[in-house]
Amino acid sequence: MMDDLRELYQTTILDHNKKPRNFRVPDGPSHEADGFNPLCGDKVTVYLQVQDGRVIDASFQGSGCAISTASASMMTEAIKGAPVKEALSLFESFHDLVTGPAMDAPETEGVGKLAVFAGVREFPMRVKCATLAWHTLKSALENGGETAKTE
Ligand code: ZN
């Protein structure tokens, strides 16, 4: 299981880093926030269009390492069309997934394709890269604009 995930992790990260999905600045987003991970230098801006309690559009811009870019790309795919509540609970699930003990079998139920990021828990320095976009999403939804920090 972990070996399959590890391989999938590498190919998925490479693919999303090369061709990030939803990498654009939308017209008049209802929510947006900036995120910065000083440990790695990753920067991201997350844009959302929220209507009737649902994330109808999600996109991002930024520059950073492959993991931060791939994570932001996959996050926008995962939350697009989801109720805000679900997007926030996915933040919690994703956070648990990447910060769990490396020895434990990761809890991948309910996170879909994001399960590949379970591999990150073996590289503690990379956890902040993987969670940056998610912290920024949370900040956009809850504060509507302050800079999210991974600290
Ligand atoms: Zn990084």
Side-chain angles (χ1 to χ4, degrees):
M1 172 65 177
M2 275 311 278
D3 279 345
D4 290 349
L5 265 183
R6 200 169 291 138
E7 208 176 296
L8 192 61
Y9 167 72
Q10 282 167 353
T11 51
T12 306
I13 301 274
L14 287 176
D15 175 50
H16 278 266
N17 182 48
K18 226 199 252 172
K19 293 174 291 181
R21 321 299 198 266
N22 305 305
F23 191 76
R24 60 187 153 77
V25 180
D27 286 338
S30 63
H31 295 64
E32 65 176 276
D34 296 318
F36 178 51
N37 171 19
L39 276 179
C40 180
D42 307 315
K43 284 181 188 164
V44 70
T45 304
V46 171
Y47 304 99
L48 305 169
Q49 190 65 45
V50 177
Q51 212 170 50
D52 301 327
R54 193 174 279 270
V55 180
I56 57 172
D57 191 26
S59 59
F60 77 105
Q61 285 279 280
S63 63
C65 67
I67 293 173
S68 70
T69 302
S71 179
S73 170
M74 290 182 74
M75 181 189 79
T76 57
E77 283 194 317
I79 62 170
K80 218 171 176 180
V84 168
K85 259 189 194 165
E86 217 169 273
L88 287 170
S89 83
L90 201 52
F91 165 88
E92 301 295 340
S93 304
F94 185 79
H95 198 263
D96 290 349
L97 178 76
V98 298
T99 58
M103 289 299 131
D104 290 7
E107 177 58 64
T108 54
E109 204 176 313
V111 295
K113 289 183 196 169
L114 300 171
V116 296
F117 282 96
V120 170
R121 57 170 67 188
E122 293 178 45
F123 309 97
M125 286 294 290
R126 292 306 199 175
V127 169
K128 292 185 194 314
C129 302
T131 55
L132 176 64
W134 289 91
H135 282 290
T136 310
L137 165 73
K138 199 167 184 237
S139 165
L141 286 172
E142 291 179 349
N143 316 315
E146 284 172 49
T147 298
K149 296 208 185 68
T150 51
E151 294 308 309

